[in-house]
Amino acid sequence: AFAPGHHLRPASKVPLPLLFLSPDMATLQNTTGVSNISRNDLVEWVNTMIQVNYTKVENLCSGAAYCQLLDCLRPGAVNLKKVKFDAKHDYDYIDNFKHVQAAFKKFGVEKVIPVEKLVQGKFQDNFEFGQWFKKFFDTNYDGSAYDAVGRRAGKAAVPADKPAAPKQQSPARAAAAPAAKAATASSPARATRAPGAASGGASHHAPASSLAATTTVAPKTNGAASSDSQALLAENADLKLNIDILEKERDFYFGKLRDIELLVQTPEFEAWAHTKSITNILYAVAEGFEVPPENGEEAAPAEADEY
């Protein structure tokens, strides 16, 4: 729940990219632009600073590295006991980035964190944010020694590695594959037909021609089925990814609403003029939906439709 006195504001259109503004800018300096560090140097720098074994920029998508780098800048800025260094799922990544956002807010850092993009594990998004963070870190780091493994109590920092979605075969390549197989399969038929033609025997020619036709047609059918199967698999993987993202958005916004509900129930907000309006919005029921019964209560019987 939010602390009393926190100003309510509408949620953003996408999960978690928040702009933190604070009048106190003395604790950490804000930076603009990005570092020109290369991808390999960025990974090496992260590994050196917090003693991990990341192999690529995409491993930063878990948010765990940023949590510990902030702890390096300001020990205690992030409660490392709550950081999931072995995160493997998007919801774990989001939890880690919540700690980063809280630290940014605490120290007056003005930076939009595109969490929804970062947790997808794409190179470009993570590389751009990593370059910015490197410059931000260099601006604020005082060079103090830092025991990274000791600070995280020996927790193993497992690199996040999201599996790539299966690629859908292009229509041109899918069409070319059966044709190539058909051409390869038809060549033995030509060789079979040749002896019959040389001897002048019609009995040899007919089976060879039939075999050639059969051999040529069959791969086209199999190739088309294989192409359709690949397309369906790719579409299925894409739908699963979309469902996963939608479920995370649902859970994220539900958590926000729950935090607001708990906030307006605190004594500090009970007398606030806008509390009733907020409560009405929270408990408003959309047309066509019914409020589920409380525990121990039975749902009212539905009225019969009149015709």
Side-chain angles (χ1 to χ4, degrees):
F2 294 104
H6 183 88
H7 295 289
L8 297 173
R9 61 177 182 79
S12 56
K13 294 182 180 179
V14 295
L16 292 176
L18 305 178
L19 177 61
F20 293 122
L21 299 176
S22 172
D24 180 14
M25 299 297 178
T27 52
L28 285 174
Q29 295 184 39
N30 290 276
T31 56
T32 56
V34 298
S35 169
N36 291 325
I37 191 171
S38 68
R39 66 167 75 182
N40 293 330
D41 289 342
L42 178 61
V43 173
E44 183 179 356
W45 170 73
V46 172
N47 288 338
T48 301
M49 290 302 305
I50 60 175
Q51 297 298 297
V52 292
N53 295 311
Y54 286 5
T55 58
K56 54 186 178 180
V57 171
E58 291 89 328
N59 296 150
L60 296 171
C61 72
S62 72
Y66 297 120
C67 290
Q68 183 142 29
L69 288 168
L70 285 170
D71 183 74
C72 180
L73 288 178
R74 295 290 186 273
V78 176
N79 185 351
L80 296 183
K81 293 182 180 180
K82 296 183 178 181
V83 176
K84 299 174 181 177
F85 287 97
D86 58 349
K88 296 180 181 179
H89 305 286
D90 286 11
Y91 51 82
D92 292 328
Y93 303 163
I94 292 173
D95 284 343
N96 287 340
F97 274 108
K98 285 182 179 180
H99 298 307
V100 177
Q101 291 176 319
F104 275 17
K105 181 179 180 181
K106 179 179 179 180
F107 293 108
V109 179
E110 298 179 4
K111 177 62 181 177
V112 174
I113 306 179
V115 177
E116 185 186 26
K117 294 181 179 180
L118 296 178
V119 299
Q120 292 180 14
K122 301 296 180 60
F123 166 76
Q124 191 61 37
D125 298 317
N126 282 277
F127 186 47
E128 290 177 359
F129 188 77
Q131 285 183 312
W132 173 87
F133 195 93
K134 175 63 166 63
K135 184 174 182 180
F136 164 75
F137 186 94
D138 291 342
T139 302
N140 292 279
Y141 186 46
D142 59 6
S144 301
Y146 182 70
D147 179 12
V149 178
R151 288 291 296 171
R152 63 175 179 262
K155 287 184 179 179
V158 180
D161 192 8
K162 301 197 68 174
K167 294 183 179 179
Q168 184 173 358
Q169 191 176 20
S170 65
R173 184 173 297 179
K181 291 181 180 178
T184 304
S186 63
S187 56
R190 295 194 191 99
T192 305
R193 207 164 44 237
S199 63
S203 59
H204 295 288
H205 181 74
S209 176
S210 175
L211 176 62
T214 305
T215 308
T216 303
V217 172
K220 288 184 179 180
T221 304
N222 293 338
S226 177
S227 176
D228 292 341
S229 177
Q230 290 293 332
L232 289 173
L233 287 173
E235 183 180 359
N236 186 49
D238 188 50
L239 289 173
K240 286 183 177 179
L241 179 61
N242 290 336
I243 291 173
D244 189 48
I245 293 175
L246 289 173
E247 287 179 346
K248 290 177 177 62
E249 289 185 7
R250 176 202 64 192
D251 295 341
F252 169 75
Y253 286 117
F254 177 80
K256 288 290 184 185
L257 292 172
R258 178 59 177 160
D259 288 341
I260 295 173
E261 181 183 33
L262 294 175
L263 178 65
V264 298
Q265 292 174 358
T266 59
E268 292 83 352
F269 278 86
E270 285 183 351
W272 190 37
H274 300 290
T275 298
K276 184 173 178 56
S277 299
I278 295 173
T279 304
N280 290 338
I281 294 174
L282 287 174
Y283 298 133
V285 180
E287 184 177 355
F289 290 86
E290 295 182 0
V291 179
E294 298 290 340
N295 294 335
E297 296 182 1
E298 295 183 358
E303 294 183 0
D305 294 331
E306 296 182 0
Y307 295 95

